[in-house]
Amino acid sequence: MARTRRGSKRESGRAEVKLETEYKTRRDLIDRQLENAGWDPKDHTKVVQEVDTKQSNFKTRNYKTISETLKTKEEKAYADYLLLDSNGAPLAIIEAKRTTKDPVLGQKQAEDYADDINKQTGKDVFIFLTNGYEIWFWNRPYQGLRLVKGFHSREALERIRFQNDFKEDFHTVPIKKEIVDRPYQIEAVKRVLEGVEKGKRKFLIVQATGTGKTRVAMALIDVLLRAKHAQKILFLADRKALRDQAYSDGFKVFFPHESKTKVFSGQVDKTPRLFASTIQTFMECYQEFSVGDFDVIISDECHRSIYQKWKDVFTYFDAIEIGLTATPAELIDRDTFRFFDCEDRIPTTLYTYNEAVKDGWLVPFTVYKTQTHFQIAGI
């Protein structure tokens, strides 16, 4: 009997250490990350901790916590965090593990909690798995589990939920011929949309200069907006001229009724749906956004903008990423293909200069040779 008691004490001691370690992870790391995303863990209109998913009434929003149900005889199960939408209804759950554990180990637990909520409300909630260092986001059952840089804000999750509920099949939303009407442009749009439907989130479009990459981007934005697969779009360029072209010749022409902004400095209005910026300017302000604040990020001349410190912008956001470049595929750095998940160095779509000349969309160039005065006469 004595051995049994000592064994029980040891097990109890280990459980206390485990709980203390997990509590420390939550207090020191996860709570701060939630605050950075606009979730105050102490505000019960936004966050409820240690919610009993068995004994709570999610229909009436009567959320019972561990302090209320731990000593009851009924079945119980505790989700570490329940995030609430702006109406106080369940929006997401967070399953936390101590820092030394793989957060994905909590996947089955989190599924069970989400299923408990779904049984009562008939609605799915988002799932986050974290150990304070890694954060995994799961838009179940619409998309797979993926690693993200932080928690999504309430506004971002509500926007994604709206898309889950109301998005339409791309086949019901025709590509606008007034934006793109050339066969290779239409094919490029279709290739990306097919990938989005299959759950892909990175695409690389390679087209020769002068064949309308910006128009392809605008046609994609148009379909994604009308099909309700996206609501917030960011167009990034590495030069002001390309930013201005996207804004003036793209956004203003094809989306006259959408709210839009051109970002000039680190201070930016977050309410519009369409954003155009240089990568240099956006580096000053991107961390003011939640990781989920954009549905799509389009990078013009992406072979130049996804490197060194600029890369932080692209890896920070949890968004569909579309790269545009006119550089011939054989000259693009291997890392560009790797960044956009292009297997065997094959871009999502490719339309070369030679093809454009052959099809009559471009005329062949000729090299004009000449000499300067100094080359002829010397200095």
Side-chain angles (χ1 to χ4, degrees):
M1 292 294 291
R3 286 183 181 176
T4 303
R5 281 198 297 270
R6 280 199 295 270
S8 297
K9 286 181 179 178
R10 287 197 198 97
E11 290 173 5
S12 176
R14 287 195 209 100
E16 288 175 5
V17 170
K18 177 184 175 183
L19 288 172
E20 173 61 26
T21 306
E22 185 179 300
Y23 172 76
K24 190 174 187 300
T25 300
R26 288 165 54 181
R27 181 193 64 198
D28 296 345
L29 298 174
I30 299 172
D31 284 3
R32 291 180 183 177
Q33 293 162 348
L34 283 169
E35 288 175 358
N36 290 337
W39 299 99
D40 182 354
K42 296 177 182 177
D43 184 347
H44 295 300
T45 65
K46 293 183 176 181
V47 182
V48 185
Q49 298 190 43
E50 297 180 323
V51 174
D52 188 336
T53 60
K54 298 294 185 184
Q55 297 187 44
S56 293
N57 189 325
F58 293 101
K59 282 187 176 180
T60 62
R61 299 168 191 175
N62 179 14
Y63 307 124
K64 294 187 177 181
T65 62
I66 190 170
S67 61
E68 299 172 89
T69 67
L70 182 61
K71 296 181 179 181
T72 61
K73 294 180 181 180
E74 289 83 359
E75 185 182 5
K76 54 188 73 71
Y78 300 107
D80 294 311
Y81 298 84
L82 175 68
L83 306 184
L84 306 177
D85 68 15
S86 51
N87 293 317
L91 183 60
I93 57 171
I94 302 173
E95 173 59 21
K97 296 294 181 188
R98 47 187 166 155
T99 55
T100 55
K101 279 200 167 187
D102 183 347
V104 179
L105 292 174
Q107 182 175 348
K108 182 60 173 66
Q109 281 176 270
E111 280 190 272
D112 291 340
Y113 303 147
D115 287 343
D116 288 340
I117 297 172
N118 181 274
K119 285 175 186 175
Q120 291 192 35
T121 64
K123 296 180 180 179
D124 293 297
V125 294
F126 300 104
I127 294 173
F128 289 97
L129 309 174
T130 183
N131 62 1
Y133 292 116
E134 286 186 6
I135 300 174
W136 292 80
F137 174 60
W138 195 4
N139 181 9
R140 193 183 75 132
Y142 303 97
Q143 297 167 339
L145 196 65
R146 60 180 179 263
L147 189 65
V148 293
K149 289 285 187 176
F151 293 106
H152 298 55
S153 66
R154 174 188 273 180
E155 293 76 12
L157 291 178
E158 289 182 330
R159 192 186 73 249
I160 297 170
R161 184 177 62 182
F162 172 85
Q163 293 165 16
N164 289 343
D165 293 342
F166 297 102
K167 63 185 178 183
E168 300 174 19
D169 192 301
F170 288 130
H171 297 295
T172 66
V173 183
I175 299 169
K176 285 188 176 179
K177 294 295 180 67
E178 55 263 45
I179 304 180
V180 291
D181 57 0
R182 299 176 183 179
Y184 67 87
Q185 294 173 330
I186 295 171
E187 178 66 19
V189 174
K190 287 182 176 179
R191 287 272 188 92
V192 173
L193 296 178
E194 286 170 3
V196 172
E197 283 189 326
K198 293 176 182 177
K200 284 195 65 178
R201 296 181 64 77
K202 290 190 177 186
F203 305 91
L204 179 61
I205 296 173
V206 182
Q207 283 184 204
T209 299
T211 57
K213 294 188 303 299
T214 303
R215 277 183 170 262
V216 168
M218 296 302 140
L220 277 167
I221 292 171
D222 175 70
V223 174
L224 289 166
L225 288 175
R226 287 190 292 126
K228 301 178 184 67
H229 280 252
Q231 292 168 278
K232 302 276 273 191
I233 312 288
L234 171 63
F235 190 103
L236 288 175
D238 68 337
R239 289 182 288 126
K240 293 179 181 178
L242 294 175
R243 175 204 63 192
D244 294 344
Q245 179 186 5
Y247 185 83
S248 300
D249 299 341
F251 290 169
K252 291 182 73 174
V253 172
F254 301 117
F255 309 103
H257 304 299
E258 292 286 358
S259 55
K260 60 187 74 68
T261 186
K262 193 191 302 185
V263 182
F264 290 104
S265 67
Q267 298 297 319
V268 58
D269 179 10
K270 299 179 185 178
T271 56
R273 303 215 318 168
L274 305 176
F275 295 74
S277 176
T278 62
I279 184 71
Q280 295 88 340
T281 298
F282 214 74
M283 276 293 295
E284 301 175 15
C285 60
Y286 76 94
Q287 289 183 316
E288 295 178 19
F289 292 84
S290 141
V291 299
D293 278 351
F294 292 105
D295 299 305
V296 179
I297 298 177
I298 297 173
S299 171
D300 201 5
E301 299 301 339
C302 61
H303 63 283
R304 292 199 297 259
S305 58
I306 62 168
Y307 297 102
Q308 299 174 358
K309 61 182 180 179
W310 313 128
K311 190 175 182 179
D312 292 344
V313 172
F314 299 97
T315 57
Y316 175 77
F317 289 105
D318 177 41
I320 291 171
E321 295 173 339
I322 303 171
L324 309 176
T325 182
T327 301
E330 65 272 14
L331 299 180
I332 298 176
D333 190 282
R334 185 182 301 273
D335 287 344
T336 306
F337 289 106
R338 186 181 301 116
F339 182 85
F340 288 101
D341 295 340
C342 299
E343 295 182 7
D344 300 322
R345 294 170 62 87
I346 300 174
T348 307
T349 180
L350 171 65
Y351 192 67
T352 66
Y353 164 79
N354 289 332
E355 288 176 298
V357 171
K358 179 183 176 183
D359 295 340
W361 301 115
L362 293 179
V363 295
F365 66 84
T366 56
V367 179
Y368 179 75
K369 296 182 179 180
T370 187
Q371 288 181 302
T372 66
H373 169 76
F374 290 118
Q375 287 176 317
I376 298 171
I379 297 177

